[in-house]
């Protein structure tokens, strides 16, 4: 990886946890460039539509582009079809976007999303992670991505309880970060 790529701002830790009738998504606000903190107030969690959101880890400019373009595509789909896309459909559409960036990712310009949403059919929150090639994986209970994910996931393992109220899930996610 070139020095230029290493010096680009990269989003770090994002966490998600399901809760009673929903899901919580949270991220730290740091961006790193190499081993330095490049920015302390970066937005890395974005609303996709009324029932879903995504956060990203990796190259900041790509993550922001994924979030904005994905939201526009969901809005366009809803206007054209007269209904919102299913949560599975949203997760698969995001997977195609990530897969479309594979060439740049192989050169070090990668961004990987963590996608969450409320599944209206099942009445519960769901979490989807992705690999750099766009493979979507459904995660259960809680998950984290980014450079601090190992520590955050360990903290969530201790703090998380099945069926916890949303306020408790928010607190657990913030403490994990």
């Amino acid at each position: 990886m070139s020095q230029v790529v290493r010096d680009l701002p990269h989003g770090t830790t994002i966490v998600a946890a399901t809760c009673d009738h929903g899901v919580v998504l949270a991220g730290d606000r740091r961006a790193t460039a190499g081993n330095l903190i490049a920015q302390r107030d970066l937005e890395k969690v974005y609303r996709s539509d009324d029932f879903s959101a995504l956060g990203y880890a990796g190259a900041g400019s790509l993550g922001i582009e994924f979030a904005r373009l994905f939201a526009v595509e969901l809005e366009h789909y809803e206007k054209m079809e007269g209904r919102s896309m299913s949560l599975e459909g949203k997760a698969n559409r995001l997977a195609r976007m990530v897969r479309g960036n594979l060439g740049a990712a192989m050169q070090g310009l990668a961004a990987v999303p963590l996608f969450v949403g409320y599944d209206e059919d099942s009445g519960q929150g769901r979490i989807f992670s992705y690999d750099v090639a766009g493979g979507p994986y459904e995660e259960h209970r809680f998950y984290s991505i980014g450079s601090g994910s190992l520590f955050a996931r360990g903290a969530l393992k201790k703090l998380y309880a099945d069926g916890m109220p949303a306020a408790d899930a928010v607190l657990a996610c913030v403490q994990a970060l």
Side-chain angles (χ1 to χ4, degrees):
M1 184 181 337
S2 74
Q3 186 63 38
V4 172
V5 171
R6 272 192 290 272
D7 290 343
L8 287 174
H10 283 72
T12 54
T13 311
I14 305 293
V15 298
T18 60
C19 57
D20 189 29
H21 304 296
V23 62
V24 172
L25 179 67
D28 67 0
R29 303 211 25 119
R30 291 186 191 161
T32 59
N35 61 349
L36 301 174
I37 294 175
Q39 192 170 351
R40 295 183 188 278
D41 61 351
L42 182 68
E43 190 169 335
K44 298 183 289 187
V45 174
Y46 293 86
R47 177 186 172 277
S48 301
D49 65 9
D50 289 341
F51 296 99
S52 63
L54 72 83
Y56 72 87
S61 57
L62 289 174
I64 293 166
E65 183 178 347
F66 281 161
R68 290 179 179 165
L69 183 57
F70 184 57
V72 168
E73 287 191 15
L74 295 181
E75 183 178 348
H76 180 261
Y77 179 90
E78 190 169 334
K79 286 180 179 177
M80 297 303 292
E81 298 296 324
R83 62 182 175 83
S84 62
M85 190 181 296
S86 71
L87 192 60
E88 293 269 339
K90 294 173 191 178
N92 290 331
R93 177 62 197 122
L94 186 55
R96 285 196 312 271
M97 290 177 69
V98 174
R99 194 173 305 114
N101 187 59
L102 185 58
M106 298 304 287
Q107 296 177 41
L109 291 170
V112 181
L114 186 58
F115 176 63
V116 301
Y118 176 75
D119 189 336
E120 295 178 89
D121 295 331
S122 68
Q124 62 185 3
R126 295 171 66 188
I127 302 169
F128 296 89
S129 67
Y130 298 84
D131 61 31
V132 74
Y137 307 97
E138 184 162 5
E139 307 297 343
H140 300 282
R141 304 176 71 217
F142 57 87
Y143 199 71
S144 62
I145 61 170
S147 61
S149 65
L150 180 65
F151 306 107
R153 202 168 315 142
L156 278 172
K157 187 175 182 179
K158 292 178 182 178
L159 299 167
Y160 182 84
D162 288 323
M164 62 194 319
D168 291 350
V170 169
L171 182 60
C173 286
V174 169
Q175 288 176 337
L177 288 171

